[in-house]
Amino acid sequence: MLKIGGILKAKMHEKDIRQKELEDMMELDQRTISNYCNDINFPNLDTLSRLCNILEIDINDILEIHAKGNSDILIQSDLEMKLLEDFRKLSKEKQKEFLKASSCIIKIVE
C-alpha cells in the first residue's frame, strides 16, 4: 500500500484544515481522514481524487505514476482486485510458483 499520510498531513497543515473539517467537506465517516493520515487505510481512487482536489495535490505525484512509470498499478476491475487479494495471501514461495505458472498459461493463451 502506498503511504500518503505524511503528504495529507502536510497539506492539511499548510491549508489550516482539520481532519474533522475535511471529513465534513467530503462527507466521510468520523476518523476516515485520520486513518488515511496514519496510513491505516488507503482511499479508493474516487476519494483520493477528491482529497487531492481539495488539498491541491497532484494525484500523479501521490501515486508516483510519472516518476516510476507505473500507471498500470491502477486496478481496473473487481476480478483484478480479487486476483491481487488472493495472490497477496500466498507465501512468497507460492507467489513465485504462481507467477511461473501464470507465465506459462499466458504463453499458451496468446
Side-chain angles (χ1 to χ4, degrees):
M1 177 172 70
L2 293 173
K3 305 289 185 190
I4 64 168
I7 297 168
L8 294 177
K9 287 183 216 179
K11 277 296 194 175
M12 288 167 57
H13 179 75
E14 178 185 308
K15 297 193 165 296
D16 196 29
I17 297 175
R18 306 280 178 255
Q19 289 180 8
K20 177 69 172 127
E21 292 173 285
L22 191 53
E23 287 170 343
D24 289 345
M25 282 188 254
M26 296 189 59
E27 299 177 351
L28 296 172
D29 293 332
Q30 185 180 7
R31 303 217 13 96
T32 300
I33 297 297
S34 176
N35 287 340
Y36 298 157
C37 288
N38 292 309
D39 293 316
I40 294 169
N41 292 327
F42 190 83
N44 65 38
L45 287 178
D46 290 334
T47 302
L48 180 61
S49 178
R50 290 175 51 218
L51 272 171
C52 288
N53 285 335
I54 290 170
L55 297 175
E56 298 177 3
I57 301 170
D58 184 338
I59 195 168
N60 294 314
D61 290 342
I62 222 169
L63 293 175
E64 301 176 335
I65 288 173
H66 297 306
K68 295 188 178 175
N70 60 352
S71 58
D72 57 338
I73 65 167
L74 304 176
I75 297 169
Q76 299 177 9
S77 71
D78 290 341
L79 185 59
E80 287 181 29
M81 177 60 83
K82 172 76 172 121
L83 181 63
L84 183 58
E85 287 171 352
D86 289 346
F87 178 79
R88 288 180 176 167
K89 291 176 187 175
L90 298 173
S91 68
K92 294 294 180 194
E93 186 61 36
K94 293 290 183 183
Q95 287 178 355
K96 288 177 186 177
E97 290 177 29
F98 177 85
L99 291 173
K100 283 182 185 178
S102 296
S103 293
C104 291
I105 291 169
I106 289 170
K107 286 177 185 174
I108 291 169
V109 171
E110 289 177 334

